[in-house]
Amino acid sequence: MQNIDWEIIYSIVVYVLKNYPFKIILYSSISLVISFVISIMTTLLLRKYKLISREQKYYNWLVKLYIPLIFIVNIIFSIKIGLFWGVYEALKKDSYSVSEQVYYSGSQYIFKDEKSKAVFIADLKSIVSELSRNNKNIKVEIVDIAKIYETKYKLVNRPKNWLASLFADHYGDRIHTLVLYGILNSIPHVDISGNLSYNEFDQLSGKLLELNPENVEKSIIEKIQNLFLMILKSQFRLIIKGIFIIWGLLMLVPWLEFGIYKYMMRRNLKNQKINSEKQ
């Protein structure tokens, strides 16, 4: 989750541009306005502290190019920030519907009716029994149960929404783990932390049939949504952080160059003074 998958990022950007163009335009426009304000303020600071004035004629003309370059850099980076900002806000808006599609496509409508619940519980029993290897008291990890469940059922129903399908494909094991935790911990006075035995699951299975499907499903969808938003926020922060670092380094160039210029001028004056004294 700490690495940026640029192929996926750009695919998502294209998806949002097609479906939410006005949101992209809005946030890009806001970023552009901010960039012009920053550019004007930076230019005024450079003039105030005479960072774009040089004694040498042609050098003096050359450093004046900092002014249009500052505007160009700020415009380019503001468009990038506005683009990713718009994508982030659009995906936040879509997060619940995406999570809902992921849940229903990957869960086989496990709580759709009494028959679906019975089939789901029977499938889980079979998986837990397989992992227990004939020892009903051996503890098995919920994550392992989720992985087997995902392998068997992840292709039964595919989300129609491209983004939901992408999310399900890349985080299927975590989603199924969330679903299992959510269902098991929906039982009153039950707290499954990480593993359980076949005997423990067998005791819980009867209580699972008594759960209210609507409340359980809403709770699980919200948990999937939280996972989606957490991944989205993590990726967005990494991208924006990288953009700001590069932008900050470019904006420091006039100041660094002026510092080098002042150092060289002092050094030349010192050398001239030493040479004059020698003469």
Side-chain angles (χ1 to χ4, degrees):
M1 195 163 62
Q2 291 302 314
N3 297 319
I4 299 174
D5 191 326
W6 286 108
E7 185 178 349
I8 292 175
I9 292 296
Y10 284 121
S11 298
I12 291 172
V13 168
V14 172
Y15 167 84
V16 174
L17 282 170
K18 288 180 179 177
N19 293 278
Y20 299 96
F22 293 109
K23 192 173 283 288
I24 298 298
I25 292 170
L26 171 63
Y27 286 100
S28 294
S29 299
I30 293 171
S31 296
L32 273 173
V33 171
I34 294 171
S35 78
F36 277 109
V37 172
I38 293 172
S39 297
I40 292 168
M41 290 177 63
T42 305
T43 302
L44 292 174
L45 282 172
L46 292 176
R47 287 183 177 277
K48 180 180 178 180
Y49 293 104
K50 299 181 179 179
L51 269 71
I52 49 176
S53 297
R54 302 289 187 270
E55 293 179 5
Q56 299 83 353
K57 181 181 177 182
Y58 296 109
Y59 192 10
N60 188 52
W61 291 353
L62 189 62
V63 295
K64 294 294 190 291
L65 291 175
Y66 279 138
I67 295 174
L69 286 174
I70 285 169
F71 277 88
I72 292 169
V73 166
N74 282 331
I75 288 170
I76 291 172
F77 279 86
S78 68
I79 290 173
K80 282 187 176 183
I81 291 170
L83 176 64
F84 286 114
W85 186 11
V87 168
Y88 178 71
E89 293 298 330
L91 294 183
K92 276 177 65 178
K93 183 180 178 181
D94 260 9
S95 62
Y96 188 85
S97 62
V98 167
S99 303
E100 195 172 34
Q101 287 191 53
V102 169
Y103 170 73
Y104 285 125
S105 65
S107 64
Q108 291 187 289
Y109 296 92
I110 52 181
F111 276 3
K112 182 181 178 181
D113 49 40
E114 294 301 319
K115 182 180 178 181
S116 298
K117 285 198 292 185
V119 170
F120 169 70
I121 293 167
D123 288 338
L124 286 187
K125 273 188 176 182
S126 173
I127 293 170
V128 175
S129 177
E130 180 184 334
L131 290 171
S132 299
R133 295 177 183 176
N134 299 322
N135 189 335
K136 305 302 182 184
N137 292 314
I138 287 180
K139 297 276 186 177
V140 295
E141 297 291 331
I142 300 294
V143 174
D144 294 331
I145 300 172
K147 285 180 180 177
I148 294 177
Y149 185 83
E150 182 204 6
T151 302
K152 287 184 177 181
Y153 304 115
K154 70 177 178 179
L155 297 178
V156 172
N157 296 303
R158 182 166 291 278
K160 293 179 181 179
N161 183 290
W162 172 84
L163 182 59
S165 180
L166 181 69
F167 179 49
D169 286 343
H170 279 76
Y171 298 97
D173 56 339
R174 295 183 66 175
I175 292 166
H176 280 82
T177 302
L178 278 177
V179 170
L180 291 179
Y181 272 120
I183 291 172
L184 293 172
N185 288 317
S186 295
I187 302 171
H189 312 299
V190 171
D191 182 19
I192 304 297
S193 58
N195 53 51
L196 79 170
S197 67
Y198 179 85
N199 287 332
E200 288 172 335
F201 182 79
D202 191 43
Q203 293 174 10
L204 295 174
S205 60
K207 296 179 181 179
L208 287 174
L209 291 170
E210 300 171 4
L211 294 176
N212 183 324
E214 186 176 339
N215 293 338
V216 174
E217 288 189 340
K218 184 179 179 182
S219 174
I220 293 170
I221 291 169
E222 287 174 351
K223 285 181 173 62
I224 295 172
Q225 182 187 22
N226 289 336
L227 173 65
F228 180 81
L229 290 173
M230 181 180 70
I231 294 166
L232 176 64
K233 189 175 182 179
S234 172
Q235 294 288 303
F236 177 76
R237 279 184 172 178
L238 283 174
I239 292 168
I240 295 300
K241 183 180 177 181
I243 291 174
F244 272 114
I245 288 172
I246 297 171
W247 172 79
L249 291 173
L250 290 174
M251 292 297 287
L252 280 174
V253 168
W255 304 84
L256 292 172
E257 186 272 331
F258 180 73
I260 294 169
Y261 167 76
K262 294 294 288 182
Y263 169 76
M264 295 301 295
M265 289 297 292
R266 286 196 299 267
R267 185 176 177 181
N268 288 339
L269 286 171
K270 185 178 179 180
N271 289 336
Q272 288 175 10
K273 186 177 179 181
I274 292 170
N275 291 332
S276 62
E277 287 176 352
K278 286 180 179 180
Q279 292 175 358

